[in-house]
Amino acid sequence: MKAPILEVRNVTKMFGSVIALSDVSARVYPGEVTCLLGDNGAGKSTLIKILSGVHQPTEGDYIFEGERVTFNSPREALARGIATVYQDLSLIPLMPVWRNFFLGSEPEKGFGPFKRYDIDFARRTVRDEMAKMGIDVRDPDQPVGTMSGGERQSIAISRAVYFGAKVLILDEPTAALGVKQAGIVLHYIVQAKRRGLGVIFITHNPNHAYPVADHFVILRRGRVLADYQKEELPQDELMNLMAGGEDLVKLQQELAQLESKPILVV
Amino acid sequence: MTTTTASKADERVAQVGFFRGLFRRVEVGALIGAIVLWSLFAIVAPTNWISITGLSRILDPASTWGIMAVAVALLMIGGEFDLSTGVMTGTTGLIAGLLATRAGWPLWLGILVALIFALLIGYLNGFMVIRTGLPSFIVTLATFFILRGANVGVTRLVTDQVYVGGIDKAAGFDSARAVFNTGITLFGVEWRSSILWWVVITVVASWFLLRTKVGSWIFAVGGDTTASRNVGVPATRVKIGLFMTTAVAAWLVGMMNIVRLRSAVGSQGIGQEFYYIIMATVGGCLLTGGYGSVVGASLGAVIFAMAFTGIPFAGWDTDWFFSFLGIMLLAAVLVNNYTRKRATEISVGAAKARTEGA
């Protein structure tokens, strides 16, 4: 078994008296997709915010590439190669693909006052990088706002990969997408994994999680409910865990009761 | 999904590229407007209009307006407004004029102090906008009123009138005039040297906006400030820099005015801030930021200058100039809306065709 690239050990996070995470341990391996699943309020967001450097754990250790680390800001995490692609993507809709791709890290050529944006390099690189991810950018000048949600996700992902990410955290990348678009994004997730990145994929949707994941971490009420390799967990079992198992049975009973009751007429 | 046949793909790029190439030119609306307006006056007042004198008469006001419109366009692309630009042309002129005539300083020293003052006000405008998070419209409206009052108030205190005359008697006037705004005779007509300034500034600003890293940042902070910050764009510095740029442009135009008129007036520039915003809008700048062109803004200044000189040429009452401004603004906003929508629709259509074809 290879060494994990990223690991949290017994992490607890408190916000005042609220325990957002309690004694959470999880590992992420390079070249694998780790799926982080859980209902609203399960602690997914808190955990990824700790991983991406937004929050610091109250207790417990954060280990990256075998050493204990503390990140005080997302930039510090990014500098180590932990890139987070948020739902809002940090893309500027009115700007062309190539300007977006290199925004904040523009390639330059020339000297002194004649230093200028190396636009040819940017255009070419965007084409090449996107091609590596399996997307054909026909026109790098296309404004990002005119692209589909799946294409935008793919830009954000390939940007992170290009700038040397070792761990890619994807916060519900398929949440707002249709079936076809979600399929495109899942495709890039697999591409990123094949390039050796440790991918953390956060989702609500077991249908998106199951085909790409190698490993599942399921959170519930701030604790790790389950941590399985894919082989250990059949899909229907995953569905059950996701839906909250007993909760669902209870809900069905309640609904059945409600239906059998007469409607009160006031 | 991955590779369709190469020739087929290229074909589709070419098709999309043609339409988008046409409509992606931000300046296209302003260019069409300029051509239409020029043709209109060429029909109504052909003798004055289609002449070298006519051209120099148009380019004279276009030059100082154009310089301001370029700076304001950069700021608007960066997502902010500055309502203190017009009055600032007056303030800087008064500072240099008062120091040169009342304090007896060399004119160049007054010009330097005016520049420092402009940089400071520009910085404060930007700082206030960033720190308070208030709309720049309100913050700079306050600056506008403060400066407007101070222009007249200070001038009256010092000179007992609202006018500073005799600047041409100050030391260094001739060299200042030669630098900022002199007349150059060419083809038998006098041209203002401010035209040269304007052309150079437009070219440099356009190069800067489209070909440098900071230019990209200007588009980015105007498009989405938070998103640009997330990827490491120094949004605060970019925005403050833009406010300082408009203030420096106002200083330049202020100096051009006082060396030309040999005097400074307390009411100089008031109301012109809206001209600059309209010119930038006519040139394709979106009021919401993140999009626009400095070349377009310069074309907007040309359109204004054509109306300004063309209306008296045609023998019409100059009162109509303002109605013209309103109509231009409305037309520009509608055209901007249309071109942007058009560009978007084409690419969405192309994306759909691609998905369906795949």
Side-chain angles (χ1 to χ4, degrees):
Chain A
M1 191 92 207
K2 50 192 167 177
I5 185 162
L6 183 155
E7 183 178 0
V8 283
R9 279 188 206 146
N10 312 107
V11 159
T12 297
K13 177 69 189 176
M14 318 257 297
F15 294 104
S17 60
V18 178
I19 304 165
L21 285 178
S22 166
D23 201 23
V24 168
S25 297
R27 291 170 166 194
V28 175
Y29 293 92
E32 275 194 17
V33 176
T34 300
C35 237
L36 186 60
L37 301 152
D39 205 354
N40 293 335
K44 297 192 304 283
S45 302
T46 310
L47 183 56
I48 62 161
K49 279 181 177 158
I50 287 174
L51 296 180
S52 62
V54 176
H55 295 321
Q56 289 71 45
T58 314
E59 273 169 43
D61 293 332
Y62 183 173
I63 293 134
F64 182 67
E65 291 184 316
E67 63 178 276
R68 203 173 167 275
V69 289
T70 312
F71 296 127
N72 294 310
S73 75
R75 292 206 71 76
E76 287 181 19
L78 190 62
R80 286 295 298 265
I82 300 166
T84 310
V85 176
Y86 291 102
Q87 273 167 319
D88 65 9
L89 299 175
S90 300
L91 295 172
I92 317 287
L94 283 168
M95 288 171 80
V97 179
W98 59 272
R99 280 193 194 269
N100 265 295
F101 193 93
F102 285 100
L103 189 60
S105 318
E106 288 81 359
E108 290 183 291
K109 60 180 178 185
F111 299 97
F114 302 105
K115 210 174 203 184
R116 58 203 184 275
Y117 200 138
D118 194 345
I119 291 171
D120 292 335
F121 173 82
R123 285 213 176 96
R124 206 170 52 236
T125 309
V126 165
R127 241 180 231 280
D128 293 352
E129 285 303 308
M130 300 289 279
K132 279 186 206 163
M133 301 288 287
I135 192 169
D136 183 10
V137 180
R138 287 173 176 78
D139 181 7
D141 276 315
Q142 188 179 349
V144 163
T146 65
M147 303 180 98
S148 66
E151 286 174 315
R152 277 187 246 184
Q153 284 287 350
S154 70
I155 296 169
I157 294 171
S158 58
R159 177 166 75 180
V161 172
Y162 176 76
F163 286 107
K166 294 171 188 162
V167 171
L168 189 59
I169 302 171
L170 302 168
D171 184 11
E172 306 223 16
T174 57
L177 302 180
V179 176
K180 203 163 196 169
Q181 295 292 334
I184 295 171
V185 173
L186 295 179
H187 185 87
Y188 303 131
I189 291 175
V190 174
Q191 291 285 344
K193 156 190 149 173
R194 285 184 57 193
R195 294 178 69 174
L197 278 80
V199 181
I200 301 171
F201 174 29
I202 294 102
T203 183
H204 269 108
N205 189 332
N207 292 325
H208 292 160
Y210 205 77
V212 296
D214 299 297
H215 170 204
F216 299 93
V217 175
I218 299 156
L219 291 181
R220 195 161 169 216
R221 302 176 71 85
R223 290 172 178 277
V224 177
L225 176 70
D227 188 337
Y228 291 116
Q229 289 298 315
K230 191 176 193 170
E231 312 81 76
E232 303 170 294
L233 187 71
Q235 189 162 6
D236 49 355
E237 184 79 15
L238 173 67
M239 301 280 249
N240 224 4
L241 280 168
M242 283 287 296
E246 321 112 66
D247 288 355
L248 194 65
V249 176
K250 208 169 135 200
L251 182 67
Q252 275 171 347
Q253 284 169 351
E254 279 173 5
L255 289 174
Q257 271 179 11
L258 200 64
E259 275 193 7
S260 63
K261 271 185 192 164
I263 297 169
L264 293 175
V265 184
V266 185
Chain B
M1 165 77 225
T2 45
T3 42
T4 47
T5 51
S7 63
K8 221 174 158 187
D10 288 346
E11 211 174 84
R12 277 178 293 181
V13 177
Q15 279 176 8
V16 175
F18 173 74
F19 280 107
R20 265 218 241 103
L22 193 67
F23 286 103
R24 202 187 269 157
R25 298 305 314 172
V26 187
E27 304 88 1
V28 74
L31 188 62
I32 292 170
I35 292 167
V36 167
L37 197 62
W38 191 87
S39 311
L40 176 73
F41 285 117
I43 295 164
V44 180
T47 42
N48 287 327
W49 193 251
I50 312 173
S51 71
I52 201 89
T53 320
L55 187 64
S56 91
R57 291 270 298 271
I58 296 166
L59 294 185
D60 178 355
S63 62
T64 46
W65 281 344
I67 291 168
M68 291 309 296
V70 164
V72 168
L74 289 175
L75 180 69
M76 281 175 69
I77 294 169
E80 304 292 344
F81 286 103
D82 188 349
L83 294 184
S84 67
T85 47
V87 77
M88 183 66 96
T89 64
T91 309
T92 49
L94 289 166
I95 290 174
L98 283 173
L99 289 174
T101 58
R102 303 290 147 164
W105 291 16
L107 184 56
W108 279 106
L109 204 56
I111 289 170
L112 183 69
V113 171
L115 174 62
I116 292 166
F117 180 82
L119 285 168
L120 189 72
I121 295 294
Y123 180 85
L124 285 176
N125 274 340
F127 181 79
M128 288 285 288
V129 168
I130 299 283
R131 273 313 275 273
T132 60
L134 288 168
S136 49
F137 205 83
I138 294 300
V139 173
T140 59
L141 185 65
T143 315
F144 163 78
F145 277 115
I146 294 166
L147 291 180
R148 182 182 174 165
N151 278 3
V152 179
V154 172
T155 312
R156 205 192 297 277
L157 267 180
V158 178
T159 66
D160 278 333
Q161 44 189 353
V162 290
Y163 165 87
V164 180
I167 294 174
D168 49 344
K169 293 183 188 73
F173 177 79
D174 290 335
S175 58
R177 189 177 166 88
V179 167
F180 288 112
N181 199 356
T182 185
I184 300 165
T185 308
L186 197 69
F187 308 118
V189 187
E190 197 192 64
W191 307 78
R192 304 309 304 180
S193 64
S194 53
I195 297 168
L196 198 63
W197 273 100
W198 165 49
V199 172
V200 170
I201 285 171
T202 304
V203 170
V204 170
S206 188
W207 179 83
F208 183 76
L209 182 65
L210 298 174
R211 293 281 176 270
T212 70
K213 170 173 86 176
V214 183
S216 225
W217 292 351
I218 293 173
F219 280 109
V221 297
D224 188 336
T225 311
T226 317
S228 355
R229 277 212 181 94
N230 283 349
V231 295
V233 172
T236 302
R237 270 194 290 155
V238 170
K239 290 207 172 189
I240 290 179
L242 289 171
F243 277 106
M244 291 170 81
T245 305
T246 57
V248 169
W251 163 81
L252 182 61
V253 169
M255 297 310 105
M256 286 173 171
N257 287 338
I258 62 164
V259 297
R260 182 177 188 178
L261 304 171
R262 297 158 201 272
S263 62
V265 197
S267 60
Q268 177 68 44
I270 291 169
Q272 301 232 333
E273 55 283 333
F274 283 113
Y275 291 14
Y276 313 141
I277 292 172
I278 299 171
M279 288 168 198
T281 309
V282 166
C285 288
L286 294 182
L287 297 167
T288 44
Y291 196 75
S293 150
V294 294
V295 173
S298 268
L299 282 170
V302 171
I303 290 178
F304 260 59
M306 284 204 280
F308 186 72
T309 38
I311 288 171
F313 273 14
W316 299 337
D317 200 313
T318 46
D319 296 341
W320 292 103
F321 179 62
F322 290 101
S323 305
F324 167 80
L325 298 193
I327 293 165
M328 266 325 289
L329 178 61
L330 195 61
V333 174
L334 292 176
V335 168
N336 285 356
N337 243 357
Y338 174 76
T339 43
R340 198 163 42 111
K341 229 189 220 166
R342 182 104 180 109
T344 318
E345 271 167 12
I346 286 167
S347 36
V348 168
K352 265 188 194 153
R354 209 186 302 160
T355 323
E356 279 154 19

